[in-house]
Amino acid sequence: MAEIKAEKFEKVLTKYVDQEGSASLDFYRSHGGYEAAERVLKELKPDEVIETVKDSNLRGRGGAGFPCGLKWSFVPKDTDKPKYLVVNADESEPGTFKDRVIMERDPHQLIEGSLISAYALDSHICYIYIRGEYYDAFLAMQKAIDEAYEAGILGENVLGTGFRLDMTMHRGAGAYICGEETGLLSSLEGKRGLPKIKPPFPAVEGLFRCPTVVNNVETLSCVTHIFDRGVDWFKSIGPPEGPGPKLLCVSGHVERPGTYEVPMGINLLDLVNNHAGGIWKGNKLKAIIPGGSSAKILAAEECDVGMDYESLAAKDTMLGSGGVIVIDNKTDMVEALYNLLRFYAHESCGQCTPCREGTGWLQKICGRILHGDGRPEDPDMMLDLSKKMCGRTICVLADAAAFPCESIVSKFRSEFDEKIAAGDGHERTVHLGGPLVQPGALSAHNQERLDELQGGH
Amino acid sequence: MSDAPAVKKKFSEKGLEFIDWLLGRYPNKQAALLPVLRLAEEEFGNIDNDSVMLVAETLELSPGYVWGVLTFYTHYRREGDGKYLLQVCSTLPCALRGCRDIQHRLEEKLGIEAGETTEDGLFTLKKVECLGSCDTAPVVQVNEKYHENLDIEELDKLLETLRG
């Protein structure tokens, strides 16, 4: 891997986000905006666009890291069905908040990237599925789309080339599972956001049973810059098998949480200590979740690692969504895990038994350890359960819950064992999570009826 | 269809125009369900049984189907929600930076627990999962607006402002 010179790195995705009026079309055009799209639409054939993106080794920035050009090449050419491009702006992975910056502060780069991508895919309809909570981002995107229609950048005759593209904002309404691409498509069809079995993959049979490509906001924004600055520029940043600029979201116990645009492959400790200002309050580092809450945790001594797909895979974790959650040495890992398990149990769509039951049981078992009722066999049971949840469900939410569980229990085992040993007489306070499930007490109403019945005997 | 339940609510003229526009953006009416539920929320303040009946009729879906979809999602305002819906993010990145204190303070100041509405109908307090604003934790979303980097002092000020 080539050494990455951070000082030579020039930001592109967030270059203008701190400037006044950066979201407007005038601002965007004054910095060369839509020149790349115009050149692509006028000079390149759709297949050449796909080949360029393949050549760039751009990998998905949403979580799975799938090669973008390869995904596009799965869309059948000989179909008379409409083809859809769907922008995944659901951004629901805990610890991730990068797409919001793009949409609120530089939305036109997303429109431009989507335009180039739609052209490559011969798609004339693009939906942007945005999480319901992101209201400001929704407004900023809608305003940018309106401006683009007004200027002839979207609509019947894109940039005077005769290419047609309609773009529609579609708001979600609070469901983590709608960030999973088939769950997202179900939601976009006006259904409960239930993931679907693959195959067929969306590229062949997706939205409204038509060929569909779903790409993340940051991925499509990268497409803009690949055509603006060239493939060689893109490939020169970070490891060649998955290069490019990367938005990393640093949250948790650091002095300066935020979204940092860095070269792919930046050292995780460099990111945390230099960019994000180090661990807060002078505390020490305990662990980092490197790629959103679903990624396996790295203990402090494992954090000297490059933030790229391959280096993190070599540490048995993943780049995921780029959500870097930093945890200091004062943190109770049982409590932290309980918080995450509650999240997954809450967000499981309930279709598949291993996920619906598994996430619920993991939360309950971790909850009883946390609250002093743990049994000596519980940590092993959590590991066993995690293992049995993986790879047995329609989508990867089960795996996403199992990964943090398996890694936190095995890497911080002593904290679990100590809590269990200290068990009896442990203070029963409710910590990060919700209320504990009470063992089968009757409701007041039922208790009265029961008392009546028993009184009658 | 004499036994079909009467629809008691109506969308405004502007709302109907918006629905027409929406229906032009999708190949079928069902796909417009989430945006039309949003419209009902905006026009009527929340989504109750009458809103569901209206949305079902508008999109030619069964009320049962609309209920099924509505209840899958947590972000729609529902009947009985207060004027201000306070959604406290409680997922790990916010938890690491003190969202529990924020929630407790709100419970203490409002005299209700998460999931409840104040007697005067002004506030509903909800504990929600990740709001995607972890760099500005802890975060409370009040209706559509995010209030970020909150501490107890800021929170008290916010409540005062909302009480007017």
Side-chain angles (χ1 to χ4, degrees):
Chain A
M1 196 180 84
E3 197 189 338
I4 290 130
K5 297 263 188 271
E7 63 272 19
K8 275 199 207 156
F9 174 73
E10 185 193 348
K11 293 177 190 179
V12 291
L13 295 162
T14 56
K15 185 171 181 179
Y16 299 114
V17 296
D18 293 329
Q19 294 189 26
E20 177 106 15
S22 62
S24 77
L25 178 59
D26 284 346
F27 183 98
Y28 190 66
R29 284 203 130 159
S30 71
H31 293 88
Y34 291 109
E35 285 172 13
E38 191 164 357
R39 212 163 45 240
V40 167
L41 266 63
K42 286 183 174 160
E43 293 170 14
L44 295 181
K45 294 195 182 83
D47 278 347
E48 292 172 328
V49 180
I50 296 179
E51 283 312 309
T52 306
V53 173
K54 267 189 183 169
D55 182 33
S56 75
N57 287 338
L58 169 63
R59 291 176 63 174
R61 306 303 203 225
F66 196 80
C68 181
L70 189 61
K71 196 181 214 179
W72 291 4
S73 68
F74 295 150
V75 173
K77 305 242 182 293
D78 52 348
T79 174
D80 41 18
K81 286 183 179 176
K83 298 166 194 162
Y84 293 105
L85 173 65
V86 176
V87 182
N88 187 343
D90 195 59
E91 188 148 81
S92 42
E93 178 75 10
T96 318
F97 40 87
K98 63 192 174 63
D99 297 342
R100 182 180 169 201
V101 181
I102 292 178
M103 292 189 286
E104 286 183 3
R105 303 296 306 160
D106 197 349
H108 283 284
Q109 65 176 320
L110 172 59
I111 298 176
E112 183 168 7
S114 305
L115 185 52
I116 295 169
S117 308
Y119 173 73
L121 297 163
D122 187 32
S123 166
H124 304 287
I125 303 176
C126 172
Y127 296 107
I128 300 180
Y129 185 100
I130 185 169
R131 62 177 302 178
E133 293 86 346
Y134 275 5
Y135 188 66
D136 289 350
F138 160 71
L139 290 182
M141 279 310 307
Q142 187 61 56
K143 184 164 177 279
I145 289 173
D146 291 347
E147 284 179 316
Y149 268 103
E150 184 87 4
I153 294 163
L154 290 172
E156 286 299 320
N157 184 13
V158 170
L159 296 161
T161 60
F163 181 70
R164 178 173 62 81
L165 182 65
D166 276 316
M167 191 174 279
T168 306
M169 292 301 293
H170 190 103
R171 287 179 73 196
Y176 171 67
I177 196 60
C178 293
E180 196 278 340
E181 64 176 6
T182 58
L184 185 155
L185 296 177
S186 292
S187 180
L188 193 42
E189 290 170 343
K191 300 171 183 166
R192 296 165 76 94
L194 303 180
K196 299 173 197 176
I197 290 175
K198 297 182 264 195
F201 287 90
V204 178
E205 193 179 304
L207 188 62
F208 310 118
R209 308 197 70 172
C210 296
T212 305
V213 164
V214 184
N215 279 144
N216 168 261
V217 169
E218 187 188 347
T219 312
L220 289 168
S221 300
C222 281
V223 170
T224 303
H225 300 291
I226 288 171
F227 287 93
D228 185 37
R229 292 172 179 243
V231 175
D232 292 339
W233 161 81
F234 191 80
K235 286 167 91 169
S236 73
I237 303 167
E241 59 273 18
K246 182 75 194 87
L247 298 182
L248 294 176
C249 313
V250 187
S251 65
H253 295 150
V254 289
E255 287 289 346
R256 290 192 302 271
T259 303
Y260 295 95
E261 184 175 351
V262 291
M264 190 73 84
I266 187 175
N267 185 284
L268 178 53
L269 290 175
D270 177 22
L271 174 76
V272 169
N273 291 330
N274 301 327
H275 291 75
I279 309 303
W280 75 347
K281 299 176 180 174
N283 291 350
K284 290 203 161 54
L285 176 65
K286 182 172 198 173
I288 300 177
I289 301 176
S293 63
S294 309
K296 291 187 184 176
I297 201 163
L298 294 169
E301 61 275 15
E302 299 173 294
C303 292
D304 185 9
V305 61
M307 288 296 287
D308 59 78
Y309 301 97
E310 306 291 331
S311 306
L312 287 163
K315 294 256 183 189
D316 192 31
T317 182
M318 60 181 181
L319 183 64
S321 62
V324 177
I325 306 171
V326 180
I327 298 170
D328 74 9
N329 61 337
K330 306 253 166 100
T331 309
D332 177 340
M333 294 309 284
V334 180
E335 202 173 336
L337 177 59
Y338 179 74
N339 182 288
L340 287 179
L341 293 174
R342 185 203 65 215
F343 171 82
Y344 289 105
H346 181 262
E347 299 296 343
S348 171
C349 86
Q351 282 191 108
C352 311
T353 309
C355 178
R356 182 188 62 244
E357 300 299 314
T359 53
W361 277 107
L362 286 178
Q363 184 197 350
K364 282 179 193 166
I365 299 168
C366 191
R368 75 182 178 216
I369 298 174
L370 180 62
H371 296 100
D373 294 329
R375 304 166 192 170
E377 66 271 25
D378 280 350
D380 283 333
M381 200 194 299
M382 291 175 81
L383 292 174
D384 186 47
L385 198 48
S386 302
K387 203 168 133 196
K388 285 171 178 159
M389 285 163 66
C390 285
R392 289 177 164 85
T393 47
I394 292 174
C395 81
V396 294
L397 193 145
D399 307 61
F403 289 165
C405 182
E406 184 265 309
S407 58
I408 292 176
V409 172
S410 47
K411 291 180 188 179
F412 298 94
R413 177 69 183 249
S414 61
E415 291 191 35
F416 289 79
D417 290 338
E418 278 162 26
K419 270 222 165 43
I420 292 164
D424 219 33
H426 189 275
E427 191 189 351
R428 304 284 205 274
T429 46
V430 175
H431 287 264
L432 294 177
L436 280 181
V437 180
Q438 296 297 320
L442 283 177
S443 69
H445 173 84
N446 287 342
Q447 191 65 53
E448 272 176 37
R449 296 292 86 79
L450 184 67
D451 291 346
E452 270 175 33
L453 263 177
Q454 287 171 338
H457 280 287
Chain B
M1 295 285 280
S2 59
D3 54 358
V7 174
K8 293 178 192 152
K9 281 184 169 161
K10 291 277 168 250
F11 285 117
S12 68
E13 282 300 315
K14 275 206 151 163
L16 290 171
E17 275 174 36
F18 179 65
I19 291 171
D20 272 347
W21 177 84
L22 268 178
L23 292 177
R25 307 303 281 186
Y26 304 97
N28 61 45
K29 289 189 172 181
Q30 179 181 291
L33 179 50
L34 267 63
V36 172
L37 283 170
R38 276 289 175 206
L39 180 71
E41 180 189 49
E42 286 159 18
E43 294 216 340
F44 310 122
N46 63 50
I47 302 174
D48 61 6
N49 189 50
D50 288 340
S51 310
V52 168
M53 301 301 281
L54 174 63
V55 170
E57 185 193 59
T58 307
L59 297 178
E60 297 174 357
L61 300 165
S62 75
Y65 180 80
V66 175
W67 271 117
V69 173
L70 171 66
T71 51
F72 184 83
Y73 300 95
T74 56
H75 197 252
Y76 291 112
R77 293 169 66 91
R78 302 288 289 280
E79 192 177 10
D81 281 352
K83 183 179 174 193
Y84 297 112
L85 184 55
L86 309 179
Q87 307 193 71
V88 188
C89 180
S90 60
T91 315
L92 187 60
C94 268
L96 294 173
R97 295 183 79 96
C99 70
R100 201 189 335 171
D101 297 339
I102 298 292
Q103 188 192 328
H104 287 170
R105 183 65 170 187
L106 283 170
E107 288 177 336
E108 180 193 316
K109 293 281 269 191
L110 300 174
I112 53 173
E113 286 184 21
E116 295 177 341
T117 301
T118 53
E119 271 181 24
D120 59 6
L122 204 53
F123 297 106
T124 295
L125 181 61
K126 278 192 185 171
K127 201 171 94 171
V128 298
E129 297 298 350
C130 191
L131 288 171
S133 192
C134 324
D135 54 338
T136 55
V139 180
V140 176
Q141 185 171 21
V142 181
N143 296 349
E144 283 144 350
K145 192 173 166 36
Y146 279 37
H147 295 269
E148 304 166 69
N149 293 313
L150 285 170
D151 56 26
I152 298 297
E153 202 179 315
E154 296 267 334
L155 188 69
D156 289 351
K157 266 191 240 160
L158 171 63
L159 278 182
E160 270 174 43
T161 316
L162 294 176
R163 281 191 167 124

